[in-house]
Short mmCIF file of all heavy atoms in Angstrom, two decimals:
data_model
loop_
_atom_site.label_atom_id
_atom_site.label_comp_id
_atom_site.label_asym_id
_atom_site.label_seq_id
_atom_site.Cartn_x
_atom_site.Cartn_y
_atom_site.Cartn_z
N ASP T 1 -86.64 22.01 212.06
CA ASP T 1 -85.94 22.65 213.19
C ASP T 1 -84.66 23.31 212.70
O ASP T 1 -84.13 22.96 211.66
CB ASP T 1 -85.61 21.64 214.27
CG ASP T 1 -86.85 21.15 214.98
OD1 ASP T 1 -87.93 21.73 214.76
OD2 ASP T 1 -86.76 20.18 215.74
N ALA T 2 -84.18 24.22 213.51
CA ALA T 2 -82.96 24.93 213.14
C ALA T 2 -81.76 24.01 213.29
O ALA T 2 -81.77 23.06 214.06
CB ALA T 2 -82.79 26.16 214.02
N GLY T 3 -80.73 24.31 212.51
CA GLY T 3 -79.54 23.47 212.49
C GLY T 3 -78.65 23.64 213.69
O GLY T 3 -78.94 24.42 214.59
N VAL T 4 -77.56 22.88 213.69
CA VAL T 4 -76.67 22.87 214.85
C VAL T 4 -75.25 23.33 214.55
O VAL T 4 -74.47 23.54 215.46
CB VAL T 4 -76.60 21.45 215.47
CG1 VAL T 4 -77.97 21.06 215.99
CG2 VAL T 4 -76.11 20.43 214.48
N MET T 5 -74.91 23.51 213.29
CA MET T 5 -73.56 23.97 213.00
C MET T 5 -73.40 25.43 213.39
O MET T 5 -74.31 26.24 213.21
CB MET T 5 -73.24 23.80 211.51
CG MET T 5 -72.96 22.37 211.12
SD MET T 5 -72.06 22.24 209.56
CE MET T 5 -73.32 22.78 208.41
N ALA T 6 -72.25 25.76 213.93
CA ALA T 6 -71.98 27.15 214.31
C ALA T 6 -71.77 28.01 213.08
O ALA T 6 -71.22 27.55 212.07
CB ALA T 6 -70.74 27.21 215.20
N LYS T 7 -72.19 29.25 213.19
CA LYS T 7 -72.02 30.18 212.07
C LYS T 7 -70.56 30.25 211.63
O LYS T 7 -70.27 30.26 210.44
CB LYS T 7 -72.51 31.57 212.46
CG LYS T 7 -74.02 31.67 212.56
CD LYS T 7 -74.44 33.08 212.97
CE LYS T 7 -75.96 33.21 212.99
NZ LYS T 7 -76.38 34.56 213.39
N ALA T 8 -69.66 30.31 212.59
CA ALA T 8 -68.25 30.45 212.25
C ALA T 8 -67.73 29.25 211.46
O ALA T 8 -66.87 29.38 210.60
CB ALA T 8 -67.42 30.65 213.50
N ALA T 9 -68.28 28.06 211.76
CA ALA T 9 -67.81 26.84 211.11
C ALA T 9 -68.15 26.83 209.62
O ALA T 9 -67.50 26.13 208.85
CB ALA T 9 -68.42 25.62 211.79
N VAL T 10 -69.17 27.60 209.25
CA VAL T 10 -69.55 27.64 207.83
C VAL T 10 -69.32 29.03 207.24
O VAL T 10 -69.84 29.37 206.18
CB VAL T 10 -71.03 27.21 207.63
CG1 VAL T 10 -71.19 25.72 207.90
CG2 VAL T 10 -71.96 28.02 208.51
N GLN T 11 -68.54 29.83 207.96
CA GLN T 11 -68.16 31.17 207.47
C GLN T 11 -69.39 32.02 207.16
O GLN T 11 -69.42 32.76 206.17
CB GLN T 11 -67.23 31.06 206.26
CG GLN T 11 -65.93 30.34 206.59
CD GLN T 11 -65.09 30.03 205.35
OE1 GLN T 11 -65.05 30.80 204.40
NE2 GLN T 11 -64.41 28.88 205.35
N TYR T 12 -70.42 31.91 208.03
CA TYR T 12 -71.64 32.70 207.83
C TYR T 12 -71.33 34.19 207.85
O TYR T 12 -70.54 34.66 208.66
CB TYR T 12 -72.66 32.37 208.91
CG TYR T 12 -73.90 33.22 208.84
CD1 TYR T 12 -74.95 32.89 208.00
CD2 TYR T 12 -74.00 34.38 209.61
CE1 TYR T 12 -76.08 33.69 207.92
CE2 TYR T 12 -75.13 35.18 209.54
CZ TYR T 12 -76.17 34.83 208.69
OH TYR T 12 -77.28 35.63 208.62
N GLN T 13 -72.00 34.92 206.95
CA GLN T 13 -71.90 36.39 206.93
C GLN T 13 -73.31 36.95 206.78
O GLN T 13 -74.19 36.27 206.24
CB GLN T 13 -71.00 36.85 205.78
CG GLN T 13 -71.49 36.39 204.39
CD GLN T 13 -70.47 36.65 203.29
OE1 GLN T 13 -69.28 36.36 203.42
NE2 GLN T 13 -70.95 37.23 202.18
N ASP T 14 -73.53 38.18 207.28
CA ASP T 14 -74.86 38.79 207.24
C ASP T 14 -75.18 39.42 205.89
O ASP T 14 -76.24 40.04 205.75
CB ASP T 14 -74.98 39.86 208.33
CG ASP T 14 -75.28 39.26 209.69
OD1 ASP T 14 -75.94 38.20 209.74
OD2 ASP T 14 -74.85 39.84 210.70
N THR T 15 -74.30 39.28 204.93
CA THR T 15 -74.51 39.88 203.62
C THR T 15 -74.45 38.80 202.55
O THR T 15 -73.86 37.74 202.77
CB THR T 15 -73.42 40.94 203.35
OG1 THR T 15 -72.14 40.33 203.56
CG2 THR T 15 -73.57 42.14 204.30
N PRO T 16 -75.04 39.05 201.39
CA PRO T 16 -75.03 38.05 200.31
C PRO T 16 -73.63 37.82 199.76
O PRO T 16 -72.71 38.61 200.01
CB PRO T 16 -75.93 38.68 199.23
CG PRO T 16 -76.72 39.74 199.93
CD PRO T 16 -75.84 40.24 201.03
N LYS T 17 -73.47 36.74 199.02
CA LYS T 17 -72.23 36.47 198.30
C LYS T 17 -72.58 36.51 196.81
O LYS T 17 -73.14 35.55 196.28
CB LYS T 17 -71.70 35.09 198.70
CG LYS T 17 -70.39 34.70 198.05
CD LYS T 17 -69.24 35.32 198.82
CE LYS T 17 -67.93 34.59 198.49
NZ LYS T 17 -66.83 35.09 199.34
N GLY T 18 -72.28 37.60 196.17
CA GLY T 18 -72.72 37.75 194.80
C GLY T 18 -74.24 37.69 194.73
O GLY T 18 -74.91 38.38 195.49
N LYS T 19 -74.75 36.81 193.88
CA LYS T 19 -76.20 36.68 193.76
C LYS T 19 -76.77 35.66 194.75
O LYS T 19 -77.98 35.47 194.82
CB LYS T 19 -76.59 36.29 192.34
CG LYS T 19 -76.06 34.94 191.90
CD LYS T 19 -76.51 34.61 190.49
CE LYS T 19 -75.94 33.31 189.98
NZ LYS T 19 -76.20 32.14 190.84
N ASP T 20 -75.91 34.98 195.50
CA ASP T 20 -76.36 33.94 196.42
C ASP T 20 -76.66 34.51 197.80
O ASP T 20 -75.86 35.27 198.34
CB ASP T 20 -75.29 32.85 196.54
CG ASP T 20 -75.05 32.13 195.23
OD1 ASP T 20 -75.94 32.16 194.37
OD2 ASP T 20 -73.97 31.53 195.08
N ARG T 21 -77.78 34.12 198.36
CA ARG T 21 -78.18 34.57 199.69
C ARG T 21 -79.09 33.52 200.31
O ARG T 21 -79.65 32.68 199.60
CB ARG T 21 -78.89 35.92 199.63
CG ARG T 21 -80.18 35.92 198.84
CD ARG T 21 -80.74 37.32 198.71
NE ARG T 21 -79.88 38.17 197.90
CZ ARG T 21 -79.78 39.50 198.08
NH1 ARG T 21 -80.48 40.11 199.01
NH2 ARG T 21 -78.99 40.20 197.32
N CYS T 22 -79.28 33.62 201.64
CA CYS T 22 -80.06 32.61 202.35
C CYS T 22 -81.48 32.46 201.80
O CYS T 22 -82.00 31.34 201.73
CB CYS T 22 -80.10 32.94 203.83
SG CYS T 22 -78.48 32.84 204.63
N SER T 23 -82.09 33.55 201.39
CA SER T 23 -83.48 33.47 200.93
C SER T 23 -83.61 32.65 199.65
O SER T 23 -84.71 32.21 199.30
CB SER T 23 -84.07 34.87 200.72
OG SER T 23 -83.35 35.57 199.74
N THR T 24 -82.50 32.40 198.94
CA THR T 24 -82.55 31.56 197.74
C THR T 24 -81.84 30.23 197.97
O THR T 24 -81.53 29.51 197.01
CB THR T 24 -81.92 32.28 196.53
OG1 THR T 24 -80.54 32.52 196.78
CG2 THR T 24 -82.64 33.60 196.26
N CYS T 25 -81.59 29.89 199.24
CA CYS T 25 -80.91 28.64 199.60
C CYS T 25 -81.93 27.59 200.02
O CYS T 25 -82.89 27.89 200.73
CB CYS T 25 -79.94 28.91 200.75
SG CYS T 25 -79.10 27.44 201.37
N ALA T 26 -81.70 26.35 199.61
CA ALA T 26 -82.61 25.25 199.95
C ALA T 26 -82.64 24.95 201.44
O ALA T 26 -83.58 24.33 201.93
CB ALA T 26 -82.21 24.00 199.18
N ASN T 27 -81.62 25.40 202.17
CA ASN T 27 -81.56 25.15 203.61
C ASN T 27 -82.26 26.22 204.45
O ASN T 27 -82.43 26.04 205.66
CB ASN T 27 -80.10 25.05 204.07
CG ASN T 27 -79.42 23.80 203.56
OD1 ASN T 27 -80.03 22.74 203.51
ND2 ASN T 27 -78.16 23.93 203.17
N PHE T 28 -82.69 27.30 203.85
CA PHE T 28 -83.27 28.40 204.60
C PHE T 28 -84.67 28.04 205.08
O PHE T 28 -85.45 27.43 204.36
CB PHE T 28 -83.35 29.65 203.73
CG PHE T 28 -83.78 30.88 204.47
CD1 PHE T 28 -83.05 31.36 205.54
CD2 PHE T 28 -84.94 31.55 204.09
CE1 PHE T 28 -83.45 32.51 206.22
CE2 PHE T 28 -85.35 32.70 204.76
CZ PHE T 28 -84.60 33.18 205.83
N ILE T 29 -84.98 28.42 206.34
CA ILE T 29 -86.31 28.28 206.91
C ILE T 29 -86.79 29.67 207.27
O ILE T 29 -86.30 30.27 208.24
CB ILE T 29 -86.30 27.40 208.18
CG1 ILE T 29 -85.68 26.03 207.89
CG2 ILE T 29 -87.72 27.24 208.70
CD1 ILE T 29 -85.43 25.21 209.15
N ALA T 30 -87.69 30.20 206.48
CA ALA T 30 -88.21 31.54 206.75
C ALA T 30 -88.93 31.58 208.09
O ALA T 30 -89.55 30.60 208.46
CB ALA T 30 -89.16 31.96 205.63
N PRO T 31 -88.84 32.67 208.86
CA PRO T 31 -88.19 33.90 208.40
C PRO T 31 -86.71 34.03 208.78
O PRO T 31 -86.00 34.81 208.15
CB PRO T 31 -89.01 34.99 209.11
CG PRO T 31 -89.42 34.34 210.39
CD PRO T 31 -89.65 32.87 210.06
N HIS T 32 -86.23 33.30 209.81
CA HIS T 32 -84.90 33.60 210.31
C HIS T 32 -84.13 32.37 210.79
O HIS T 32 -83.36 32.46 211.75
CB HIS T 32 -84.97 34.61 211.47
CG HIS T 32 -85.48 35.95 211.07
ND1 HIS T 32 -84.82 36.78 210.18
CD2 HIS T 32 -86.62 36.62 211.41
CE1 HIS T 32 -85.52 37.89 210.00
NE2 HIS T 32 -86.62 37.81 210.73
N SER T 33 -84.33 31.22 210.14
CA SER T 33 -83.65 30.00 210.58
C SER T 33 -83.07 29.26 209.38
O SER T 33 -83.30 29.63 208.23
CB SER T 33 -84.61 29.09 211.34
OG SER T 33 -85.11 29.73 212.49
N CYS T 34 -82.31 28.19 209.71
CA CYS T 34 -81.64 27.41 208.68
C CYS T 34 -81.63 25.95 209.11
O CYS T 34 -81.50 25.64 210.29
CB CYS T 34 -80.21 27.93 208.52
SG CYS T 34 -79.19 26.93 207.43
N LYS T 35 -81.76 25.05 208.15
CA LYS T 35 -81.78 23.61 208.46
C LYS T 35 -80.46 23.12 209.01
O LYS T 35 -80.41 22.09 209.69
CB LYS T 35 -82.12 22.80 207.20
CG LYS T 35 -83.54 22.98 206.71
CD LYS T 35 -83.77 22.16 205.44
CE LYS T 35 -85.17 22.39 204.90
NZ LYS T 35 -85.36 21.73 203.59
N VAL T 36 -79.36 23.79 208.71
CA VAL T 36 -78.04 23.28 209.08
C VAL T 36 -77.22 24.20 209.97
O VAL T 36 -76.25 23.76 210.59
CB VAL T 36 -77.22 22.90 207.82
CG1 VAL T 36 -77.88 21.73 207.08
CG2 VAL T 36 -77.02 24.07 206.90
N VAL T 37 -77.59 25.47 210.05
CA VAL T 37 -76.81 26.44 210.84
C VAL T 37 -77.66 26.95 212.00
O VAL T 37 -78.84 27.29 211.82
CB VAL T 37 -76.34 27.62 209.96
CG1 VAL T 37 -75.53 28.62 210.77
CG2 VAL T 37 -75.52 27.09 208.77
N ALA T 38 -77.07 27.00 213.18
CA ALA T 38 -77.78 27.44 214.37
C ALA T 38 -77.85 28.97 214.44
O ALA T 38 -76.99 29.66 213.92
CB ALA T 38 -77.08 26.91 215.62
N GLY T 39 -78.87 29.44 215.11
CA GLY T 39 -78.96 30.86 215.41
C GLY T 39 -79.88 31.61 214.47
O GLY T 39 -80.59 31.03 213.64
N ASN T 40 -79.89 32.94 214.65
CA ASN T 40 -80.71 33.83 213.84
C ASN T 40 -80.06 34.03 212.48
O ASN T 40 -78.93 34.50 212.40
CB ASN T 40 -80.87 35.16 214.58
CG ASN T 40 -81.89 36.05 213.91
OD1 ASN T 40 -83.05 35.69 213.77
ND2 ASN T 40 -81.44 37.22 213.48
N ILE T 41 -80.77 33.65 211.42
CA ILE T 41 -80.21 33.70 210.07
C ILE T 41 -80.93 34.77 209.25
O ILE T 41 -82.16 34.77 209.16
CB ILE T 41 -80.36 32.32 209.38
CG1 ILE T 41 -79.70 31.21 210.20
CG2 ILE T 41 -79.84 32.37 207.95
CD1 ILE T 41 -78.21 31.36 210.37
N SER T 42 -80.17 35.65 208.65
CA SER T 42 -80.75 36.71 207.82
C SER T 42 -81.10 36.17 206.45
O SER T 42 -80.32 35.42 205.85
CB SER T 42 -79.76 37.86 207.67
OG SER T 42 -80.23 38.77 206.68
N PRO T 43 -82.26 36.57 205.89
CA PRO T 43 -82.57 36.19 204.51
C PRO T 43 -81.51 36.70 203.53
O PRO T 43 -81.36 36.15 202.45
CB PRO T 43 -83.93 36.85 204.23
CG PRO T 43 -84.43 37.33 205.54
CD PRO T 43 -83.31 37.37 206.52
N ASN T 44 -80.80 37.73 203.94
CA ASN T 44 -79.77 38.32 203.09
C ASN T 44 -78.36 37.84 203.43
O ASN T 44 -77.38 38.40 202.94
CB ASN T 44 -79.83 39.85 203.18
CG ASN T 44 -81.14 40.38 202.64
OD1 ASN T 44 -81.62 39.94 201.61
ND2 ASN T 44 -81.74 41.30 203.37
N GLY T 45 -78.26 36.83 204.31
CA GLY T 45 -76.95 36.29 204.67
C GLY T 45 -76.47 35.27 203.65
O GLY T 45 -77.09 35.04 202.60
N TRP T 46 -75.35 34.63 204.01
CA TRP T 46 -74.77 33.60 203.13
C TRP T 46 -73.77 32.78 203.95
O TRP T 46 -73.20 33.28 204.93
CB TRP T 46 -74.06 34.25 201.95
CG TRP T 46 -73.37 33.26 201.05
CD1 TRP T 46 -73.91 32.60 199.98
CD2 TRP T 46 -72.01 32.81 201.14
NE1 TRP T 46 -72.98 31.77 199.41
CE2 TRP T 46 -71.80 31.88 200.10
CE3 TRP T 46 -70.95 33.10 202.01
CZ2 TRP T 46 -70.57 31.24 199.91
CZ3 TRP T 46 -69.74 32.46 201.82
CH2 TRP T 46 -69.55 31.54 200.77
N CYS T 47 -73.54 31.52 203.55
CA CYS T 47 -72.47 30.73 204.14
C CYS T 47 -72.01 29.68 203.13
O CYS T 47 -72.64 29.49 202.09
CB CYS T 47 -72.90 30.09 205.46
SG CYS T 47 -73.79 28.52 205.27
N ILE T 48 -70.94 28.94 203.47
CA ILE T 48 -70.38 27.98 202.52
C ILE T 48 -71.26 26.75 202.33
O ILE T 48 -71.02 25.96 201.42
CB ILE T 48 -68.95 27.54 202.93
CG1 ILE T 48 -68.97 26.85 204.29
CG2 ILE T 48 -68.00 28.73 202.92
CD1 ILE T 48 -67.62 26.21 204.65
N ALA T 49 -72.30 26.60 203.17
CA ALA T 49 -73.23 25.48 203.00
C ALA T 49 -74.38 25.83 202.06
O ALA T 49 -75.35 25.07 201.95
CB ALA T 49 -73.76 25.03 204.36
N PHE T 50 -74.25 26.97 201.40
CA PHE T 50 -75.30 27.40 200.46
C PHE T 50 -75.58 26.33 199.40
O PHE T 50 -74.66 25.77 198.80
CB PHE T 50 -74.87 28.68 199.75
CG PHE T 50 -75.85 29.16 198.71
CD1 PHE T 50 -76.92 29.96 199.07
CD2 PHE T 50 -75.71 28.79 197.39
CE1 PHE T 50 -77.83 30.40 198.11
CE2 PHE T 50 -76.61 29.22 196.42
CZ PHE T 50 -77.68 30.02 196.79
N VAL T 51 -76.89 26.03 199.22
CA VAL T 51 -77.34 25.14 198.16
C VAL T 51 -78.47 25.85 197.44
O VAL T 51 -79.49 26.17 198.06
CB VAL T 51 -77.86 23.80 198.73
CG1 VAL T 51 -78.38 22.91 197.60
CG2 VAL T 51 -76.78 23.08 199.51
N PRO T 52 -78.35 26.11 196.15
CA PRO T 52 -79.41 26.85 195.47
C PRO T 52 -80.73 26.08 195.47
O PRO T 52 -80.74 24.86 195.31
CB PRO T 52 -78.88 27.04 194.05
CG PRO T 52 -77.75 26.08 193.90
CD PRO T 52 -77.22 25.79 195.27
N LYS T 53 -81.81 26.81 195.68
CA LYS T 53 -83.14 26.19 195.57
C LYS T 53 -83.32 25.71 194.15
O LYS T 53 -83.00 26.39 193.19
CB LYS T 53 -84.23 27.23 195.88
CG LYS T 53 -84.49 27.48 197.33
CD LYS T 53 -85.65 28.46 197.46
CE LYS T 53 -85.86 28.87 198.90
NZ LYS T 53 -86.86 29.96 199.00
N SER T 54 -83.90 24.53 194.02
CA SER T 54 -84.14 24.01 192.67
C SER T 54 -85.48 24.52 192.15
O SER T 54 -86.28 25.03 192.90
CB SER T 54 -84.11 22.49 192.68
OG SER T 54 -85.03 21.99 193.61
FE1 SF4 R 1 -78.27 28.31 205.87
FE2 SF4 R 1 -75.96 28.90 204.76
FE3 SF4 R 1 -78.09 28.41 203.23
FE4 SF4 R 1 -77.93 30.66 204.65
S1 SF4 R 1 -76.61 30.04 202.94
S2 SF4 R 1 -79.72 29.32 204.50
S3 SF4 R 1 -76.91 29.96 206.50
S4 SF4 R 1 -77.04 26.94 204.55
#
């Protein structure tokens, strides 16, 4: 299920941060959700809760 933290609380942005982006984050749920952040999440977004996929 999608997460409950607000985008603002994790400084979510609709653009990548360097090479890091939601599509390469372990928390991302394709196509447009996240395990920890609520709302519509872009595969090309980023936030401070980013965890690289292993
Ligand atoms: Fe979710 Fe943040 Fe990871 Fe994006 S970078 S998938 S918003 S935890």
Side-chain angles (χ1 to χ4, degrees):
D1 290 350
V4 296
M5 284 200 291
K7 288 179 177 179
V10 290
Q11 299 171 36
Y12 175 85
Q13 59 190 47
D14 279 329
T15 53
K17 182 83 161 186
K19 63 178 176 55
D20 296 338
R21 63 185 66 210
C22 294
S23 62
T24 64
C25 177
N27 290 322
F28 187 61
I29 305 170
H32 295 296
S33 300
C34 173
K35 292 179 182 173
V36 295
V37 180
N40 189 60
I41 303 297
S42 170
N44 296 316
W46 176 88
C47 84
I48 61 171
F50 177 86
V51 177
K53 279 184 186 172
S54 55

